[in-house]
Amino acid sequence: MLELSGEWALQQAGGTVAAPMRLPGDAISALMDAGHLPDPYAGLNEYDCRWVGQSDWVLSRSFTHDGSASALEISELDCVAEIWLNGRQVLAADNQHRRYRADVSAALVAGENHIEIRFASNARVAAERAAAQPWPVPFSKDNNPIAHGNMLRKVHCDFGWDWGIALAPFGVYGDLRLVPLEQVALRDVLVVQHHSAGRVVLEISLLLNQPASNVACSASICGQAAQASAQNGRAELQITIENPTLWWPAGAGNAVLHALDIQVGDTTASRRIGLRDLRLITKADAAGTGFKFNINGRDIFAKGANWIPADALPSRIEPAAVRAQLQSARDANMNMIRVWGGGRYERDWFYDLCDELGLMVWQDFMFACHLYPADPAFLAGIDAEVRDVVARISHHACLALWCGDNEVIGALTWYEEARKNRDRYLVAYDRLNRTIETALRDTLPSAAWWPSSPSAGVMDFSDGWHDDGAGDMHFWSVWHEGKDFEHYRTVRPRFASEFGFQAFPSLEVIRQFALGDDMNVNTPVMESHQKNAGGNTRIAETMLRYFRYPAGFENFVYLSQLQQALAIKTAVEYWRCQMPHCMGTLFWQLNDVWPCVSWSSLNYGGAWKLLHYFAKLFYAPVAVHAVPKGAVIQLIAVNDTAADMALEVQGFTADMAGATRPKGQQSAVIAAGQTGVMLEIPLAQIPTGAILAFTWKANGQTGGDIFSPVPFKRLALQNPQLGLACTARGDMVEITLTAAALALFVTLECPAPGRFSQNGFALFPGHPATITFTPENGDAATAARQITSRNLWASSHEA
């Protein structure tokens, strides 16, 4: 095998711009490293970088080879490209999501060889293909400032999104190598699991890299083995495992993985397999049709968020950084992420990480918010793409669901062309959706399939965005329609797969792209890093609804994160309390592709916003939530664990000085996987200007929260005179906080990357809090001098 990754030369076709470029990598990063481009994430530089995507480019290099018969293997080739070897074209590609293998023997020579990858402008080709369609095929202009991304099988958000930069990068991000043409090796593994009491039978399909026959193959796992002879590039084996140790999602058990060792001819390979019985259950009931995941015979409430690509520039996507973000998801008590359909099918190591961390994956196919062509050539490419992707990643234990697209059924109502001729565009959609489903089921007949998100179910083409009786739901009325947070309580989703509220990134992130004079909500730089039309206005309007207007930009940032956290907290807590009617919430979104204003709970770079700290509590396996119902506030206990749980709850009223009065106490046993009302406190018993506070205990765990019956701006908050003492202890900082009056939403900040043990909490006088901060660099002494605090009273009083 000869690796062709490494140093290449990049040249603008017909132009003068040239730079070295390292593969795997993208051209935007290479041109920036060579000094031809500014950092596109800083200031307004994005617009000075878009010319790159309007040009054709050539990557080239030379290599030495013995001239033997060989195949070129390449993956993540982005996107419209031809590969030429010694002056002969050996491959034409136009799908970033596929892997390619081409016999290049006739073009190779013994000695020095020259290879070129000729990239056509993605923007130009997309426009040409759109113009060649027999009728208009609309795309989301609000999301894509670079037009017609629906014409290419490329990461859609490369053309921009309502949280993403628009650069249309290109390059090669995966494998690039020459292999002996006749060498037979493993390409993919398909595993179907049949579980029964104390036993699992594995049907293992070994897919080879070429259609070879009579090749000896074997596989072993958990001390059991099987052999078979491959025919036409495929070997079928069966292994039975008695008393298997099962894989469980995070919070339900251990994510145990077993080595599956494989031999194909003279070559060996391995995969890590989780043994689990994972099913999507959609059964009719009195309320409509349910939607839930059952793992190993146990219904699991899905708790998590949506995942978008880890970075807008593929060269910057690093396994260590992705691992840290997925670990943050698990650390916030999440057990599922949704790989959203406008991004990319992630690399193998991404799914390895999800396997390890016990994060179930809702996997969209890569179609989102646009309409699509339905001509035979386009559909043939989709068929090949789906078969390739499913064969590559479906063996992973984390894969819970295959979903046809994101919001494409709904998009049929967004565009004038489709509204005027729904039949035409509905038929086109059905052809696309059936192509995806057929390819999936041909490759993996046991796959859990869901046609679209949101969707009321198979063969239901209604716009189900606000249908809370069946299927999954995207609920965007609070953000896009400006409804109040309480509006989340007007619906009872069976499964909420998208809902969100925006916030500004933390100050350390803002300083990466903005200078001092840019630190204002209305500056061109700040507005350029807000890609959702009217987003900053909506954030400001919401502040006026709930809070006293902040003193200065830094407090504006703080309040934006606080109200984001409160919005999602309101939704999740209410919907969790509807269990088992509702069996999942995946908020939008977990991560960011660049530093910007967005719906993410993690800053670009992975630091936690307030929402993520709140998520750790509202997704806790055992929790008590305050839910208003008529004239009372119900304190409802939620038990996600597999064991019954004895809880004790105490309710109080609290005035702004921090004085409390008891309002009831109750103990009860909450059954496994159930909810229960612990206390009901009449609103009339909460004095004007006071709030409700409560604490709970369960099996050694403790918790507590507050609930205000009025917007916080109406509370006559007092100066809490917050005391802050920081002491470095080894590689972490111990922080002691005191208050002279009730301090709401105390938030600690540090310019050094790291994580607080808790944040955004209420602090009562006479009840000091001890919080820890763990800096990433281990320099606790420096971090101890840099930690500062904010609170709600101070947010409107500091100059």
Side-chain angles (χ1 to χ4, degrees), residues 138-372:
F139 70 97
S140 179
K141 295 180 181 178
D142 291 339
N143 287 332
N144 287 172
I146 301 175
H148 306 296
N150 56 337
M151 293 292 111
L152 298 182
R153 296 310 298 148
K154 172 176 171 57
V155 171
H156 284 341
C157 59
D158 282 352
F159 294 84
W161 217 260
D162 58 1
W163 37 257
I165 189 171
L167 294 173
F170 64 91
V172 181
Y173 318 135
D175 297 323
L176 180 55
R177 60 198 175 208
L178 289 172
V179 299
L181 183 66
E182 300 300 327
Q183 184 181 64
V184 178
L186 181 71
R187 179 178 172 89
D188 296 306
V189 179
L190 300 174
V191 180
V192 176
Q193 304 187 22
H194 301 282
H195 287 260
S196 58
R199 172 183 295 180
V200 59
V201 177
L202 304 182
E203 294 180 358
I204 303 169
S205 300
L206 306 181
L207 308 185
L208 311 188
N209 63 345
Q210 54 186 288
S213 296
N214 301 318
V215 178
C217 299
S218 65
S220 63
I221 183 172
C222 298
Q224 305 299 312
Q227 300 81 34
S229 179
Q231 302 301 319
N232 198 30
R234 186 178 182 120
E236 303 290 351
L237 303 89
Q238 181 171 293
I239 294 177
T240 299
I241 302 171
E242 303 289 347
N243 301 313
T245 302
L246 299 178
W247 181 94
W248 288 91
N254 294 325
V256 178
L257 298 172
H258 305 276
L260 176 64
D261 296 319
I262 299 164
Q263 183 152 0
V264 174
D266 296 328
T267 66
T268 59
S270 64
R271 299 287 191 273
R272 292 185 301 170
I273 303 296
L275 304 176
R276 85 288 186 272
D277 186 10
L278 199 158
R279 303 165 187 254
L280 172 68
I281 308 295
T282 55
K283 290 184 178 179
D285 56 24
T289 305
F291 189 105
K292 64 183 178 182
F293 293 93
N294 182 281
I295 295 90
N296 303 327
R298 178 181 161 199
D299 293 341
I300 299 292
F301 190 98
K303 302 179 290 188
N306 285 256
W307 174 269
I308 61 176
D311 205 289
L313 294 176
S315 293
R316 299 186 180 184
I317 298 176
E318 297 290 343
V322 172
R323 174 185 280 276
Q325 294 185 49
L326 294 175
Q327 182 68 54
S328 287
R330 173 165 177 152
D331 290 347
N333 291 308
M334 296 183 189
N335 60 18
M336 176 176 275
I337 59 170
R338 173 178 175 236
V339 177
W340 167 75
R344 59 171 32 89
Y345 306 103
E346 294 292 344
R347 297 165 187 170
D348 295 345
W349 52 259
F350 176 91
Y351 301 99
D352 284 335
L353 291 173
C354 292
D355 285 344
E356 292 176 14
L357 294 170
L359 292 173
M360 296 181 288
V361 173
W362 171 313
Q363 178 67 56
D364 280 1
F365 288 99
M366 293 299 118
F367 305 88
C369 299
H370 307 308
L371 303 185
Y372 292 88

Side-chain angles (χ1 to χ4, degrees), residues 12-13 50-57 119-124 170:
Q12 184 183 22
R50 286 189 185 167
W51 64 269
V52 175
Q54 303 295 327
S55 298
D56 294 347
W57 295 84
F119 292 94
S121 163
N122 290 316
R124 188 193 76 249
F170 64 91

Side-chain angles (χ1 to χ4, degrees), residues 449-468:
W449 159 255
W450 193 243
S452 181
S453 183
S455 172
V458 176
M459 296 303 294
D460 189 323
F461 299 104
S462 62
D463 182 5
W465 276 52
H466 298 100
D467 180 0
D468 61 357

Side-chain angles (χ1 to χ4, degrees), residues 475-620:
F475 193 69
W476 281 104
S477 294
V478 173
W479 173 256
H480 287 300
E481 298 173 28
K483 304 283 189 181
D484 57 29
F485 297 167
E486 292 72 22
H487 195 69
Y488 284 121
R489 302 191 186 106
T490 66
V491 295
R492 299 172 68 234
R494 310 313 303 265
F495 193 106
S497 50
E498 268 195 34
F499 57 100
F501 201 90
Q502 278 199 351
F504 274 63
S506 299
L507 291 167
E508 293 72 36
V509 176
I510 293 174
R511 294 184 182 110
Q512 295 176 18
F513 65 80
L515 301 175
D517 290 343
D518 301 319
M519 301 292 186
N520 185 290
V521 181
N522 295 321
T523 60
V525 166
M526 211 60 65
E527 290 186 337
S528 178
H529 285 71
Q530 163 62 275
K531 297 301 185 181
N532 183 240
N536 289 351
T537 299
R538 195 166 297 118
I539 290 171
E541 289 173 344
T542 303
M543 281 186 196
L544 293 175
R545 179 181 291 162
Y546 291 107
F547 305 109
R548 300 184 184 188
Y549 205 74
F553 178 73
E554 292 189 0
N555 281 312
F556 184 95
V557 171
Y558 160 68
L559 284 186
S560 81
Q561 290 199 14
L562 175 56
Q563 69 185 16
Q564 177 195 38
L566 289 172
I568 305 308
K569 177 178 187 285
T570 301
V572 171
E573 290 187 345
Y574 179 68
W575 294 338
R576 280 191 79 191
C577 290
Q578 308 307 306
M579 184 174 67
H581 175 90
C582 176
M583 285 301 291
T585 61
L586 307 177
F587 65 74
W588 187 270
Q589 69 214 55
L590 182 68
N591 58 315
D592 271 330
V593 300
W594 74 311
C596 66
V597 185
S598 84
W599 295 269
S600 69
S601 64
L602 298 177
N603 286 303
Y604 177 73
W608 290 26
K609 292 182 183 176
L610 272 182
L611 170 55
H612 211 79
Y613 284 104
F614 276 41
K616 182 179 179 181
L617 298 178
F618 64 60
Y619 275 150

